[in-house]
């Protein structure tokens, strides 16, 4: 599998895996995929008297138990790690193979074409995002032992100057909007880092974030298509009318439906979250670790009689947040005049990047 040069350099700085270890991780992942689906088939076969929602809850609980048991096995018995991207790949392959062998004969041709096209799209998208460059920034100072606080990006330094009222030089051409962050997993600086995605084995940054959203939507649409196809099969085979007489293949048909619904639930929530982040112009990493990034810290000076400052979250990259902050300044008469000037200075700077910044009177 072809890996970008920047990603290869990052991996070489850490601990590159040998081909035998990669193959071993793929084998472990494949085994756990088969064990997971066989274990899930127990739910509809032995708990058929329970309602569908109860079976869904039991499936979620069983998946959590399998996750913990798998981690224990890898640490104690197998002493080998699984590969999350390989686990995703073999899950898709398992569902696709089961669809061809059991579900497909009962599915109309149009539904069959839609589902198969979705699966092919997932394979192409998975390969593309694993081999993509998220936006790695070459920086010789990046090291695994370097703390986050000591490797502040140029954005952080400039925003600290602006917040203190000392930034009197133009920063339009200095990379203010790059938002470079450090990923401890990849041990690299990523431009526009959103998060490190274990399922894809790669960081999600400025370069591959659109691909990530497209692939996430692809997973949701393909899983919804599989639900439609498997529902047609369930209706034609009447497996829901005789839950106590299910064969192994019929139990797998119900368990894959339960598994797909669980996948859809968290993926839809995840997609909504990322759409929200796009609307307010913020990254997941910035939202979680905002206390490490000075530009997201709004320092409220202590009131008379207090000895400490209050630090609140605010998003300097969200225009609506800036406009509301600009309007609310006139209502917060308790704030010192110098602090109001500093906020106005930040607002004017972010609104007019193309104008040179002068000193404040």
């Amino acid at each position: 599998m072809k890996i970008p040069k920047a990603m290869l350099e990052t991996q070489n700085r850490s601990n590159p895996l040998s081909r035998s270890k990669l193959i071993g991780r793929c084998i472990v992942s494949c085994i756990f995929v088969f064990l997971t689906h066989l274990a899930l088939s127990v739910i509809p076969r032995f708990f058929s008297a329970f309602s569908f929602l109860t079976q869904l809850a039991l499936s979620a609980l069983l998946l959590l138990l399998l996750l913990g048991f798998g981690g224990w096995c890898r640490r104690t018995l197998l002493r080998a790690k699984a590969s999350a991207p390989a686990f995703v790949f073999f899950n898709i392959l398992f569902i696709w193979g089961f669809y061809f062998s059991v579900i497909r004969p009962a599915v109309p041709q149009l539904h069959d074409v839609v589902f198969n096209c979705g699966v092919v799209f997932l394979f192409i998208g998975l390969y593309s995002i694993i081999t993509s460059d998220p936006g790695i920034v070459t920086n010789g100072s990046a090291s695994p032992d370097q703390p986050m606080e000591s490797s502040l990006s140029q954005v952080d330094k400039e925003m600290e100057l602006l917040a203190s009222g000392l930034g009197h030089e133009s920063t339009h051409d200095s990379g203010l909007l790059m938002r470079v962050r450090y990923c401890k997993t990849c041990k690299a600086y990523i431009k526009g880092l959103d998060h490190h995605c274990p399922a894809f084995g790669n960081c999600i940054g400025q370069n591959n974030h659109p691909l990530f959203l497209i692939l996430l939507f692809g997973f949701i649409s393909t899983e919804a298509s599989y639900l439609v196809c498997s529902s047609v099969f369930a209706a034609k085979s009447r497996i829901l009318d005789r839950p106590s007489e299910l064969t192994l293949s019929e139990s797998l048909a119900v368990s894959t439906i339960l598994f797909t619904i669980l996948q859809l639930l968290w993926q839809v929530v995840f997609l909504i979250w990322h759409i929200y982040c796009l609307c307010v112009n913020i990254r997941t990493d910035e939202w979680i670790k905002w206390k490490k990034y000075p530009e997201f810290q709004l320092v409220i000076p202590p009131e008379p009689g207090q000895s400490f400052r209050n630090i609140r979250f605010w998003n300097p990259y969200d225009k609506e947040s800036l406009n509301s902050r600009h309007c609310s300044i006139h209502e917060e008469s308790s704030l010192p005049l110098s602090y109001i000037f500093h906020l106005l200075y930040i607002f004017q700077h972010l609104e007019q990047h193309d104008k040179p910044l002068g000193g404040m009177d």
Side-chain angles (χ1 to χ4, degrees):
M1 183 175 292
K2 185 178 179 181
I3 300 177
K5 182 179 179 182
M7 187 64 71
L8 282 173
E9 292 175 353
T10 303
Q11 291 175 347
N12 290 335
R13 286 197 299 266
S14 56
N15 294 320
L17 293 175
S18 63
R19 185 177 297 272
S20 60
K21 286 187 177 181
L22 287 174
I23 295 175
R25 288 190 173 190
C26 290
I27 293 174
V28 172
S29 301
C30 182
I31 292 173
F32 274 106
V33 166
F34 279 96
L35 291 178
T36 298
H37 285 283
L38 286 176
L40 285 174
S41 67
V42 171
I43 300 296
R45 194 165 190 177
F46 295 99
F47 296 90
S48 56
F50 292 81
S51 65
F52 188 81
L53 289 178
T54 304
Q55 293 184 32
L56 190 66
L58 290 174
S59 299
L61 180 61
L62 181 58
L63 284 176
L64 293 176
L65 293 176
L66 289 173
L67 183 63
F69 177 73
W72 178 81
C73 287
R74 291 193 300 268
R75 290 190 302 267
T76 57
L77 299 179
L78 300 176
R79 296 190 181 277
K81 294 182 179 179
S83 170
F87 189 85
V88 174
F89 172 80
F90 286 118
N91 257 308
I92 300 173
L93 199 60
F94 179 89
I95 296 293
W96 201 21
F98 180 78
Y99 169 82
F100 266 97
S101 59
V102 178
I103 305 293
R104 190 186 183 191
V107 175
Q109 185 176 3
L110 178 61
H111 294 167
D112 177 60
V113 171
V114 170
F115 176 71
N116 285 302
C117 289
V119 173
V120 172
F121 172 80
L122 291 186
F123 283 131
I124 297 174
L126 189 61
Y127 173 81
S128 299
I129 200 165
I130 289 175
T131 58
S132 65
D133 175 17
I136 295 179
V137 177
T138 304
N139 191 326
S141 62
S143 63
D145 298 327
Q146 186 176 19
M148 176 72 77
E149 290 77 11
S150 65
S151 61
L152 291 176
S153 64
Q154 186 67 20
V155 175
D156 299 327
K157 294 177 181 178
E158 291 168 355
M159 290 303 294
E160 281 185 308
L161 291 175
L162 289 173
S164 60
L166 301 175
H168 300 303
E169 298 180 356
S170 176
T171 56
H172 176 60
D173 298 325
S174 61
L176 179 64
L177 300 180
M178 285 180 64
R179 297 161 80 170
V180 178
R181 311 299 182 192
Y182 185 72
C183 175
K184 293 182 178 180
T185 304
C186 293
K187 297 178 176 62
Y189 289 90
I190 309 296
K191 182 165 59 176
L193 174 66
D194 185 87
H195 68 286
H196 181 87
C197 185
F200 298 147
N202 200 356
C203 283
I204 306 302
Q206 179 174 307
N207 291 359
N208 61 358
H209 193 260
L211 175 61
F212 169 77
L213 293 178
I214 293 172
L215 186 56
L216 182 58
F217 181 79
F219 269 98
I220 292 174
S221 58
T222 304
E223 289 162 353
S225 176
Y226 178 78
L227 279 181
V228 173
C229 295
S230 54
S231 299
V232 172
F233 169 80
K236 289 185 176 181
S237 59
R238 299 181 180 275
I239 57 177
L240 298 180
D241 297 334
R242 46 182 181 84
S244 59
E245 304 174 1
L246 298 181
T247 62
L248 177 60
S249 61
E250 292 172 340
S251 298
L252 282 171
V254 179
S255 64
T256 53
I257 291 176
L258 296 171
F259 178 79
T260 304
I261 291 176
L262 291 175
Q263 292 294 309
L264 277 172
L265 288 177
W266 74 265
Q267 287 173 3
V268 168
V269 173
F270 202 48
L271 179 62
I272 293 174
W273 162 252
H274 279 280
I275 293 175
Y276 166 78
C277 289
L278 284 177
C279 293
V280 299
N281 194 11
I282 194 171
R283 311 288 192 267
T284 303
D285 177 78
E286 294 170 342
W287 186 81
I288 295 175
K289 302 176 182 177
W290 66 271
K291 291 186 178 180
K292 292 186 177 181
Y293 305 128
E295 71 263 36
F296 292 95
Q297 300 173 14
L298 185 63
V299 180
I300 308 297
E303 296 181 359
Q306 292 182 343
S307 58
F308 59 90
R309 297 180 302 174
N310 186 17
I311 300 178
R312 298 178 183 176
F313 169 84
W314 79 306
N315 183 6
Y317 301 105
D318 181 18
K319 275 196 170 184
E320 291 187 5
S321 175
L322 288 172
N323 291 332
S324 62
R325 174 60 58 184
H326 181 261
C327 295
S328 64
I329 284 176
H330 302 286
E331 301 175 1
E332 299 179 3
S333 57
S334 61
L335 294 179
L337 187 60
S338 60
Y339 177 70
I340 295 177
F341 285 157
H342 294 165
L343 289 180
L344 285 173
Y345 185 78
I346 295 173
F347 173 78
Q348 292 172 357
H349 168 71
L350 294 176
E351 286 287 331
Q352 302 174 354
H353 289 293
D354 54 287
K355 295 182 180 179
L357 297 178
M360 293 176 57
D361 296 331

